[in-house]
């Protein structure tokens, strides 16, 4: 595939004749009914890919490979330094385990189209649960284990699941996370009544089961009859994955079966340059889209070996973990977030631990989730001696929108850029008037509709929010919510969000969700949260809080209570540790908090007073306050 201009040829082909391009890509998938209609545009802006096709995603991930005589190939390696164990499943073993567990969930009354929430740590059973849902046409919704009960409750209420699948515990380097109390509180807080849970008991810590509601995973398996794959319409939902919007209410990103399978398969070859039998490792979590796409679906759709890693880059047991896993499992392509490499670099700046391992199996490192600082990319590339690809994508798309597509052609991409638009994404940078800006000028990064297969066709039961959040500002385009520019060579530079989403250690959070929790505290009148630069985690939330009059507790006590409350309501991943009490929030005359200015102040940048602000003196007060907690000018 590697010859000059092949990238441009594929990009043009996908843009100019999407039906032909994606029709051909669809042939890599096993359909129980071949699609004849590649794109249905009868109800714009709701495009549907392969609308009359029928398939099963689990069949394509597992059975298809077994039927092709590849049942003995290793499909999944679970590498768990936190339990000091490893487990391998061949394609045949994984197919059998999934078919059997699909029997369990069917026995619990789950049918095609029913939702199943999966709230689990990084264990093979989480993957088995996802694929088992796919097998019988149930719609899974995985909730990240680092989220607290209240966040789980929001997702239960939106997805209204028939069943919840969970485990007794997760294991973080310094503590065992008891899932059961979080699960129980989530179920209790939710208005939708969850009638059944199937719980996987781990050896590290077991939990009590609630009679009449909770079912033991292993016991249920003993009685289960394996279930076959159910044929599904290409447009039937495979999963719903919640992601942060600008409010506290998460958005339920819907993924279809057909477009997703085609796009996942195409991306493995075109972007990551892998082939069946390669070992692919994504160090993420199945709770995020990266985990859905590149720990589970894409590697299995292509027939690779996927490494599922239950550990951290550092502390499990040391900063040599990445090199160890690559060497031990002969990983060919590795994908993680820049923040993970920053953590390794901080502990082992000279890369001494890397020298202890043979990482020569590796061909490429892919980084995503946040803007990658050039230092980190250079450091990782030096110690791994492979190309480092910064690529850009979102929960909404499920696969990269911009990359250096190594499987098509290795392009000359400067450090700091996220590469070129991937074939299928007709990407434009638009100004506020909707017109394309010139190269080098910042604007809204938008993709001309239709989005390629794999991208979300809508939000769960919320077509209106889909349109208003993504499609209305620039008619005919998908608005990504990221700002950036194209350089003269056509490379895309993704610089910042245009909204109030922040990125903390590769975890996408909204400042609105944190503000909502803080504002719920009885001492608080109102609060503003912004994401401030952090050298390790990329960004950290910092809050400016206005107290109600008459509060007698000390400011320090209130702040400690707020930190505890955010941890309890959202979860530890919010990494919320810094707040300051202020007299008033700076607002425009129409009552909007001037967040962009607050961000600049927190980061110690030069800032100017917005013309519309009602009282400019508040800003200098806030700058002083933030300086006292290590932000603002104290940083520079
Ligand atoms: N369950 C429960 N708690 C969790 C958790 C989980 N699945 N994941 C993280 N947490 C907790 C951590 O233990 C930590 O708790 P603490 O405040 O008691 O120390 C807190 O949440 C913050 O975690 P995190 O920000 O993830 O920091 P970390 O030091 O644990 O890990 C990284 C650092 C870089 C390894 C981690 O942030 C990471 O892997 N980030 C990449 C995320 C990602 O894959 N994004 C997708 C794009 S590729
Ligand atoms: P998520 O939906 O959690 O995957 O987060 C998506 C967001 O992460 C994007 O909208 C960007 O803001 C950010 N992001 C992801 N990859 C990159 C990248 N390579 N460069 C810059 N920002 C990125």
């Amino acid at each position: 595939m590697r010859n000059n201009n092949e990238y441009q040829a594929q990009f043009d082909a996908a843009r100019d004749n999407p039906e032909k391009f994606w029709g051909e890509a669809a042939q890599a998938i096993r359909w129980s009914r071949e699609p004849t209609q590649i794109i249905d545009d009868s109800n714009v802006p709701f495009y549907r890919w392969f609308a009359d096709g029928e398939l099963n995603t689990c069949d394509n991930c597992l059975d298809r490979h077994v039927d092709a005589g590849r049942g003995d190939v290793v499909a999944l390696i679970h590498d768990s330094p936190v339990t000091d164990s490893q487990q391998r499943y061949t394609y045949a073993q994984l197919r059998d385990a999934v078919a059997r567990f699909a029997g369990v969930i069917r026995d619990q009354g789950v049918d095609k189209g029913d939702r199943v929430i999966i709230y689990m740590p990084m264990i093979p059973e989480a993957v088995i649960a996802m694929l088992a849902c796919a097998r019988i046409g149930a719609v899974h919704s995985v909730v990240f284990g680092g989220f607290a009960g209240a966040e789980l409750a929001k997702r239960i209420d939106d997805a209204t699941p028939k069943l919840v699948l969970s485990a007794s515990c997760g294991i973080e380097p310094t503590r065992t996370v008891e899932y059961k109390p979080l699960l129980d509180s989530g179920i209790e807080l939710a208005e939708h009544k969850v009638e059944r849970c199937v719980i996987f008991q781990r050896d590290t810590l077991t939990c009590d089961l609630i009679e009449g509601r909770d079912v033991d995973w292993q016991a249920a398996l003993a009685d289960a009859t394996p279930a076959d794959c159910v044929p599904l319409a290409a447009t039937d939902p495979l999963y719903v994955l919640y992601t942060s919007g600008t409010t506290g209410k998460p958005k339920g990103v819907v993924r279809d079966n057909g477009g997703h399978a085609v796009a996942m398969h195409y991306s493995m070859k075109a972007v990551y340059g892998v082939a069946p039998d390669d070992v692919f490792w994504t160090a993420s979590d199945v709770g995020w889209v990266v985990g859905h796409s590149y720990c589970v679906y894409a590697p299995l759709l292509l027939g690779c070996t996927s490494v599922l890693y239950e550990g951290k880059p550092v502390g499990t047991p040391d900063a040599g973990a990445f090199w160890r896993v690559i060497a031990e499992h002969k990983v060919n392509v590795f994908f993680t977030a820049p923040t993970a490499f920053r953590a390794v670099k901080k502990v082992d700046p000279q890369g001494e631990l890397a020298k202890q391992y043979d990482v020569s199996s590796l061909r490429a490192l892919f980084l995503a989730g946040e803007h990658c600082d050039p230092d980190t990319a250079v450091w990782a590339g030096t110690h791994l001696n492979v190309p480092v690809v910064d690529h850009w994508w979102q929960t909404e798309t499920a696969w990269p929108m911009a990359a250096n597509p190594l499987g098509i052609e290795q392009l000359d991409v400067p450090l700091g850029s996220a590469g070129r638009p991937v074939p299928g994404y007709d990407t434009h940078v638009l100004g506020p008037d909707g017109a394309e800006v010139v190269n080098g000028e910042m604007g809204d990064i938008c993709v001309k509709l239709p989005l390629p297969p794999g991208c979300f066709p809508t939000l769960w039961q919320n077509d209106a929010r889909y349109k208003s959040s993504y499609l209305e500002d620039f008619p005919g385009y998908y608005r990504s919510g990221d700002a950036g520019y194209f350089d003269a060579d056509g490379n895309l530079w993704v610089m910042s969000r245009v909204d109030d989403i922040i990125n903390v250690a590769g975890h996408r959070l909204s400042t609105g969700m944190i503000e909502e929790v803080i504002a719920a505290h009885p001492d608080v009148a109102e609060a503003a949260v912004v994401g401030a630069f952090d050298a390790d985690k990329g960004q950290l939330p910092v809050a400016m809080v206005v107290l109600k009059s008459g509060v007698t507790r000390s400011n320090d006590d209130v702040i400690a209570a707020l930190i505890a409350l955010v941890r309890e309501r959202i979860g530890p991943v919010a990494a919320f540790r810094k707040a300051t009490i202020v007299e008033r929030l700076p607002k425009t005359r129409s009552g909007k908090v001037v967040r962009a200015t607050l961000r600049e102040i927190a980061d110690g940048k030069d800032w100017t007073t917005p013309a519309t602000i009602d009282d400019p003196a508040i800003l200098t007060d806030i700058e002083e306050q933030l300086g006292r907690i290590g932000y603002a000018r104290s940083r520079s």
Side-chain angles (χ1 to χ4, degrees):
M1 269 231 221
R2 278 161 199 268
N3 51 35
N4 280 346
N5 299 327
E6 181 61 24
Y7 158 73
Q8 197 59 49
Q10 282 206 30
F11 182 84
D12 292 349
R15 183 193 52 200
D16 300 339
N17 195 345
E19 303 237 334
K20 180 165 183 295
F21 186 87
W22 292 111
E24 283 168 11
Q27 284 164 20
I29 296 302
R30 177 155 89 176
W31 301 87
S32 46
R33 191 169 70 210
E34 291 270 341
T36 58
Q37 190 183 17
I38 304 306
I39 182 157
D40 171 3
D41 56 3
S42 58
N43 183 27
V44 293
F46 299 95
Y47 294 89
R48 295 168 1 129
W49 286 97
F50 313 111
D52 62 348
E54 227 179 60
L55 79 164
N56 184 284
T57 298
C58 178
D59 171 63
N60 274 279
C61 287
L62 302 175
D63 304 56
R64 183 167 60 105
H65 304 304
V66 178
D67 295 349
R70 300 182 66 250
D72 291 338
V73 173
V74 176
L76 192 68
I77 300 174
H78 181 231
D79 184 301
S80 171
V82 293
T83 55
D84 196 20
S85 68
Q86 289 189 8
Q87 233 182 316
R88 284 178 158 67
Y89 288 81
T90 64
Y91 273 93
Q93 287 167 336
L94 192 57
R95 193 260 328 251
D96 293 347
V98 167
R100 193 144 199 159
F101 193 67
V104 169
I105 53 181
R106 204 184 40 193
D107 288 347
Q108 299 305 322
V110 174
D111 221 330
K112 182 183 153 186
D114 289 337
R115 274 79 57 214
V116 174
I117 282 201
I118 300 174
Y119 185 52
M120 295 183 77
M122 285 288 279
I123 55 177
E125 285 70 19
V127 176
I128 291 169
M130 291 164 77
L131 291 165
C133 290
R135 197 169 184 85
I136 61 165
V139 181
H140 63 70
S141 187
V142 182
V143 178
F144 176 58
F147 278 132
E151 286 298 313
L152 176 62
K154 288 182 191 170
R155 287 150 178 84
I156 291 176
D157 278 336
D158 199 69
T160 58
K162 207 164 209 177
L163 180 69
V164 176
L165 306 173
S166 191
S168 53
C169 68
I171 302 156
E172 287 294 292
T174 53
R175 68 202 149 91
T176 301
V177 181
E178 288 187 56
Y179 270 55
K180 197 58 189 342
L182 299 170
L183 173 70
D184 289 345
S185 80
I187 290 177
E188 202 173 304
L189 287 167
E191 277 172 28
H192 170 76
K193 276 297 130 235
V194 171
E195 316 239 305
R196 270 280 185 272
C197 301
V198 180
I199 312 282
F200 183 76
Q201 298 278 19
R202 301 190 75 184
D203 292 342
T204 312
L205 179 95
T206 55
C207 59
D208 291 336
L209 302 183
I210 295 179
E211 215 172 308
R213 190 197 75 184
D214 298 342
V215 176
D216 178 83
W217 190 293
Q218 299 292 1
L221 267 179
D223 301 332
T225 314
D228 281 336
C229 294
V230 171
L232 299 167
T235 51
D236 280 340
L238 170 67
Y239 67 77
V240 177
L241 178 60
Y242 288 88
T243 190
S244 300
T246 43
T247 66
K249 188 170 157 34
K251 291 168 167 167
V253 166
V254 175
R255 197 76 60 211
D256 65 9
N257 273 278
H260 175 253
V262 172
M264 289 291 104
H265 193 281
Y266 171 76
S267 71
M268 285 300 273
K269 291 187 156 181
V271 177
Y272 298 99
V274 290
D277 293 337
D278 275 342
V279 180
F280 196 84
W281 177 28
T282 299
S284 179
D285 190 287
V286 288
W288 307 120
V289 69
V290 177
H292 280 61
S293 294
Y294 294 106
C295 291
V296 184
Y297 287 111
L300 298 180
L301 281 161
L302 191 65
C304 298
T305 299
S306 179
V307 179
L308 188 74
Y309 177 65
E310 189 182 17
K312 303 270 172 173
V314 297
T316 58
D318 58 29
F322 278 177
W323 328 117
R324 175 194 63 80
V325 174
I326 293 168
E328 210 167 315
H329 305 303
K330 302 207 168 10
V331 172
N332 301 117
V333 173
F334 178 35
F335 175 5
T336 192
T339 184
F341 266 99
R342 284 199 295 273
V344 178
K345 185 171 96 174
K346 192 171 175 190
V347 178
D348 181 18
Q350 301 309 319
E352 292 301 333
L353 291 164
K355 295 177 192 141
Q356 298 173 15
Y357 297 93
D358 173 7
V359 292
S360 59
S361 60
L362 200 71
R363 297 198 301 264
L365 167 68
F366 284 82
L367 297 172
E370 52 174 337
H371 182 76
C372 182
D373 53 296
D375 278 0
T376 301
V378 169
W379 188 87
T382 305
H383 293 292
L384 288 166
N385 197 25
V386 293
V388 176
V389 179
D390 175 11
H391 63 328
W392 171 62
W393 51 302
Q394 313 181 298
T395 306
E396 288 82 349
T397 65
W399 64 291
M401 305 158 82
N404 192 339
L406 295 192
I408 304 176
E409 181 187 348
Q410 188 169 340
L411 301 165
D412 195 11
V413 174
L415 270 175
S417 158
R420 310 274 172 88
V422 169
Y425 292 97
D426 186 7
T427 307
H428 298 261
V429 176
L430 306 181
D433 56 355
E436 189 139 12
V437 300
V438 295
N439 285 349
E441 201 174 298
M442 284 272 282
D444 268 272
I445 309 177
C446 296
V447 182
K448 202 163 190 184
L449 297 177
L451 288 167
C455 297
F456 66 149
T458 190
L459 292 174
W460 180 248
Q461 302 203 318
N462 208 337
D463 287 350
R465 193 173 181 196
Y466 178 72
K467 284 204 277 190
S468 64
S469 299
Y470 301 105
L471 306 180
E472 273 171 6
D473 294 339
F474 297 99
Y477 291 86
Y478 163 73
R479 185 184 195 188
S480 70
D482 283 310
Y485 63 92
F486 276 114
D487 66 20
D489 298 317
N491 297 300
L492 185 64
W493 297 69
V494 182
M495 305 311 288
S496 60
R497 290 289 306 187
V498 295
D499 52 22
D500 296 320
I501 284 173
I502 59 171
N503 201 311
V504 179
H507 310 308
R508 172 169 159 180
L509 303 167
S510 80
T511 51
M513 83 202 266
I514 304 173
E515 282 170 9
E516 221 170 73
V517 172
I518 294 176
H521 189 277
D523 291 345
V524 173
E526 59 176 344
V529 173
V530 295
F533 172 77
D534 181 77
D536 298 328
K537 298 205 178 206
Q539 283 184 304
L540 279 177
V542 53
M544 283 137 275
V545 181
V546 181
L547 297 184
K548 287 182 183 155
S549 55
V551 171
T552 50
R553 291 212 261 179
S554 74
N555 286 356
D556 284 352
D557 281 356
V558 175
I559 289 171
L562 295 177
I563 290 171
L565 194 64
V566 170
R567 197 177 166 90
E568 182 203 312
R569 296 270 172 88
I570 296 176
V573 286
F576 172 61
R577 295 200 181 87
K578 294 274 189 169
T580 184
I581 307 294
V582 298
E583 283 297 314
R584 274 199 304 140
L585 292 179
K587 293 185 183 168
T588 60
R589 284 183 203 99
S590 61
K592 280 202 168 141
V593 175
V594 292
R595 280 162 212 286
T597 311
L598 287 179
R599 268 198 303 271
E600 286 169 349
I601 295 177
D603 282 340
K605 292 186 178 156
D606 290 334
W607 53 275
T608 46
T609 305
T612 50
I613 193 155
D614 62 350
D615 179 3
I618 309 178
L619 290 171
T620 32
D621 285 352
I622 286 190
E623 185 174 37
E624 209 181 303
Q625 301 266 39
L626 287 173
R628 286 197 208 118
I629 58 168
Y631 288 98
R633 301 246 179 232
S634 66
R635 308 189 117 185
S636 40

